[in-house]
PDB file of all heavy atoms in Angstrom:
ATOM      1  N   TRP L  41      -1.553  61.695  18.793  1.00  0.00           N
ATOM      2  CA  TRP L  41      -0.576  62.762  19.051  1.00  0.00           C
ATOM      3  C   TRP L  41      -0.798  63.972  18.151  1.00  0.00           C
ATOM      4  O   TRP L  41      -0.606  65.107  18.574  1.00  0.00           O
ATOM      5  CB  TRP L  41       0.842  62.208  18.876  1.00  0.00           C
ATOM      6  CG  TRP L  41       1.409  61.694  20.159  1.00  0.00           C
ATOM      7  CD1 TRP L  41       0.798  61.682  21.381  1.00  0.00           C
ATOM      8  CD2 TRP L  41       2.695  61.128  20.362  1.00  0.00           C
ATOM      9  NE1 TRP L  41       1.619  61.131  22.336  1.00  0.00           N
ATOM     10  CE2 TRP L  41       2.790  60.784  21.744  1.00  0.00           C
ATOM     11  CE3 TRP L  41       3.778  60.863  19.524  1.00  0.00           C
ATOM     12  CZ2 TRP L  41       3.919  60.211  22.288  1.00  0.00           C
ATOM     13  CZ3 TRP L  41       4.916  60.275  20.081  1.00  0.00           C
ATOM     14  CH2 TRP L  41       4.994  59.958  21.442  1.00  0.00           C
ATOM     15  N   SER L  42      -1.221  63.721  16.928  1.00  0.00           N
ATOM     16  CA  SER L  42      -1.512  64.825  16.007  1.00  0.00           C
ATOM     17  C   SER L  42      -2.679  65.659  16.528  1.00  0.00           C
ATOM     18  O   SER L  42      -2.657  66.891  16.481  1.00  0.00           O
ATOM     19  CB  SER L  42      -1.839  64.270  14.613  1.00  0.00           C
ATOM     20  OG  SER L  42      -2.221  65.305  13.742  1.00  0.00           O
ATOM     21  N   GLU L  43      -3.721  64.976  17.034  1.00  0.00           N
ATOM     22  CA  GLU L  43      -4.898  65.670  17.573  1.00  0.00           C
ATOM     23  C   GLU L  43      -4.540  66.501  18.796  1.00  0.00           C
ATOM     24  O   GLU L  43      -5.148  67.544  19.041  1.00  0.00           O
ATOM     25  CB  GLU L  43      -5.973  64.636  17.942  1.00  0.00           C
ATOM     26  CG  GLU L  43      -6.668  64.006  16.744  1.00  0.00           C
ATOM     27  CD  GLU L  43      -7.532  65.002  15.988  1.00  0.00           C
ATOM     28  OE1 GLU L  43      -8.436  65.589  16.594  1.00  0.00           O
ATOM     29  OE2 GLU L  43      -7.266  65.206  14.778  1.00  0.00           O
ATOM     30  N   LYS L  44      -3.561  66.029  19.578  1.00  0.00           N
ATOM     31  CA  LYS L  44      -3.150  66.753  20.786  1.00  0.00           C
ATOM     32  C   LYS L  44      -2.059  67.777  20.513  1.00  0.00           C
ATOM     33  O   LYS L  44      -1.597  68.451  21.430  1.00  0.00           O
ATOM     34  CB  LYS L  44      -2.669  65.763  21.853  1.00  0.00           C
ATOM     35  CG  LYS L  44      -3.783  64.879  22.388  1.00  0.00           C
ATOM     36  CD  LYS L  44      -3.358  64.086  23.610  1.00  0.00           C
ATOM     37  CE  LYS L  44      -2.401  62.983  23.289  1.00  0.00           C
ATOM     38  NZ  LYS L  44      -2.124  62.119  24.463  1.00  0.00           N
ATOM     39  N   GLY L  45      -1.609  67.872  19.248  1.00  0.00           N
ATOM     40  CA  GLY L  45      -0.589  68.846  18.879  1.00  0.00           C
ATOM     41  C   GLY L  45       0.820  68.462  19.253  1.00  0.00           C
ATOM     42  O   GLY L  45       1.739  69.289  19.208  1.00  0.00           O
ATOM     43  N   VAL L  46       1.017  67.179  19.623  1.00  0.00           N
ATOM     44  CA  VAL L  46       2.345  66.725  20.042  1.00  0.00           C
ATOM     45  C   VAL L  46       3.321  66.707  18.862  1.00  0.00           C
ATOM     46  O   VAL L  46       4.502  67.053  19.009  1.00  0.00           O
ATOM     47  CB  VAL L  46       2.265  65.323  20.689  1.00  0.00           C
ATOM     48  CG1 VAL L  46       3.662  64.767  20.977  1.00  0.00           C
ATOM     49  CG2 VAL L  46       1.459  65.386  21.974  1.00  0.00           C
ATOM     50  N   LEU L  47       2.828  66.308  17.682  1.00  0.00           N
ATOM     51  CA  LEU L  47       3.714  66.216  16.515  1.00  0.00           C
ATOM     52  C   LEU L  47       4.248  67.574  16.069  1.00  0.00           C
ATOM     53  O   LEU L  47       5.328  67.673  15.491  1.00  0.00           O
ATOM     54  CB  LEU L  47       2.971  65.536  15.349  1.00  0.00           C
ATOM     55  CG  LEU L  47       2.547  64.078  15.575  1.00  0.00           C
ATOM     56  CD1 LEU L  47       1.866  63.522  14.346  1.00  0.00           C
ATOM     57  CD2 LEU L  47       3.750  63.212  15.929  1.00  0.00           C
ATOM     58  N   SER L  48       3.477  68.636  16.341  1.00  0.00           N
ATOM     59  CA  SER L  48       3.935  69.977  15.982  1.00  0.00           C
ATOM     60  C   SER L  48       4.797  70.596  17.077  1.00  0.00           C
ATOM     61  O   SER L  48       5.404  71.645  16.893  1.00  0.00           O
ATOM     62  CB  SER L  48       2.729  70.886  15.704  1.00  0.00           C
ATOM     63  OG  SER L  48       1.872  70.943  16.837  1.00  0.00           O
ATOM     64  N   ASN L  49       4.832  69.948  18.255  1.00  0.00           N
ATOM     65  CA  ASN L  49       5.651  70.419  19.369  1.00  0.00           C
ATOM     66  C   ASN L  49       6.171  69.197  20.125  1.00  0.00           C
ATOM     67  O   ASN L  49       5.621  68.804  21.142  1.00  0.00           O
ATOM     68  CB  ASN L  49       4.821  71.328  20.286  1.00  0.00           C
ATOM     69  CG  ASN L  49       5.650  71.897  21.433  1.00  0.00           C
ATOM     70  OD1 ASN L  49       6.885  71.920  21.377  1.00  0.00           O
ATOM     71  ND2 ASN L  49       4.981  72.348  22.481  1.00  0.00           N
ATOM     72  N   ILE L  50       7.244  68.596  19.602  1.00  0.00           N
ATOM     73  CA  ILE L  50       7.776  67.343  20.134  1.00  0.00           C
ATOM     74  C   ILE L  50       8.181  67.468  21.611  1.00  0.00           C
ATOM     75  O   ILE L  50       8.068  66.503  22.377  1.00  0.00           O
ATOM     76  CB  ILE L  50       8.997  66.869  19.305  1.00  0.00           C
ATOM     77  CG1 ILE L  50       8.579  66.603  17.860  1.00  0.00           C
ATOM     78  CG2 ILE L  50       9.596  65.599  19.902  1.00  0.00           C
ATOM     79  CD1 ILE L  50       7.537  65.514  17.683  1.00  0.00           C
ATOM     80  N   SER L  51       8.614  68.643  22.026  1.00  0.00           N
ATOM     81  CA  SER L  51       9.065  68.823  23.417  1.00  0.00           C
ATOM     82  C   SER L  51       7.928  68.613  24.417  1.00  0.00           C
ATOM     83  O   SER L  51       8.176  68.358  25.597  1.00  0.00           O
ATOM     84  CB  SER L  51       9.671  70.222  23.608  1.00  0.00           C
ATOM     85  OG  SER L  51       8.692  71.228  23.338  1.00  0.00           O
ATOM     86  N   SER L  52       6.677  68.703  23.960  1.00  0.00           N
ATOM     87  CA  SER L  52       5.536  68.535  24.862  1.00  0.00           C
ATOM     88  C   SER L  52       5.370  67.087  25.325  1.00  0.00           C
ATOM     89  O   SER L  52       4.587  66.806  26.229  1.00  0.00           O
ATOM     90  CB  SER L  52       4.237  69.006  24.186  1.00  0.00           C
ATOM     91  OG  SER L  52       3.953  68.225  23.038  1.00  0.00           O
ATOM     92  N   ILE L  53       6.095  66.154  24.701  1.00  0.00           N
ATOM     93  CA  ILE L  53       6.027  64.750  25.118  1.00  0.00           C
ATOM     94  C   ILE L  53       6.427  64.597  26.577  1.00  0.00           C
ATOM     95  O   ILE L  53       5.870  63.796  27.312  1.00  0.00           O
ATOM     96  CB  ILE L  53       6.938  63.877  24.219  1.00  0.00           C
ATOM     97  CG1 ILE L  53       6.379  63.816  22.792  1.00  0.00           C
ATOM     98  CG2 ILE L  53       7.083  62.462  24.780  1.00  0.00           C
ATOM     99  CD1 ILE L  53       7.269  63.072  21.817  1.00  0.00           C
ATOM    100  N   THR L  54       7.403  65.381  27.003  1.00  0.00           N
ATOM    101  CA  THR L  54       7.913  65.270  28.379  1.00  0.00           C
ATOM    102  C   THR L  54       7.131  66.131  29.377  1.00  0.00           C
ATOM    103  O   THR L  54       7.408  66.091  30.565  1.00  0.00           O
ATOM    104  CB  THR L  54       9.396  65.689  28.423  1.00  0.00           C
ATOM    105  OG1 THR L  54       9.521  67.042  27.913  1.00  0.00           O
ATOM    106  CG2 THR L  54      10.239  64.766  27.562  1.00  0.00           C
ATOM    107  N   ASP L  55       6.139  66.906  28.901  1.00  0.00           N
ATOM    108  CA  ASP L  55       5.410  67.806  29.786  1.00  0.00           C
ATOM    109  C   ASP L  55       4.399  67.091  30.661  1.00  0.00           C
ATOM    110  O   ASP L  55       4.059  67.566  31.747  1.00  0.00           O
ATOM    111  CB  ASP L  55       4.681  68.887  28.973  1.00  0.00           C
ATOM    112  CG  ASP L  55       5.651  69.848  28.284  1.00  0.00           C
ATOM    113  OD1 ASP L  55       6.834  69.876  28.697  1.00  0.00           O
ATOM    114  OD2 ASP L  55       5.229  70.568  27.348  1.00  0.00           O
ATOM    115  N   LEU L  56       3.884  65.964  30.192  1.00  0.00           N
ATOM    116  CA  LEU L  56       2.858  65.243  30.937  1.00  0.00           C
ATOM    117  C   LEU L  56       3.472  64.540  32.147  1.00  0.00           C
ATOM    118  O   LEU L  56       4.427  63.786  32.029  1.00  0.00           O
ATOM    119  CB  LEU L  56       2.174  64.211  30.034  1.00  0.00           C
ATOM    120  CG  LEU L  56       1.070  63.354  30.672  1.00  0.00           C
ATOM    121  CD1 LEU L  56      -0.080  64.231  31.134  1.00  0.00           C
ATOM    122  CD2 LEU L  56       0.589  62.301  29.706  1.00  0.00           C
ATOM    123  N   GLY L  57       2.884  64.816  33.328  1.00  0.00           N
ATOM    124  CA  GLY L  57       3.402  64.216  34.555  1.00  0.00           C
ATOM    125  C   GLY L  57       3.013  62.758  34.719  1.00  0.00           C
ATOM    126  O   GLY L  57       3.680  61.992  35.393  1.00  0.00           O
ATOM    127  N   GLY L  58       1.899  62.346  34.100  1.00  0.00           N
ATOM    128  CA  GLY L  58       1.418  60.975  34.224  1.00  0.00           C
ATOM    129  C   GLY L  58       1.727  60.130  33.003  1.00  0.00           C
ATOM    130  O   GLY L  58       2.605  60.463  32.198  1.00  0.00           O
TER     131      GLY L  58
END
Side-chain angles (χ1 to χ4, degrees):
W41 268 0
S42 175
E43 287 292 302
K44 293 190 289 187
V46 173
L47 296 182
S48 58
N49 183 19
I50 298 299
S51 61
S52 62
I53 292 175
T54 57
D55 292 343
L56 179 62

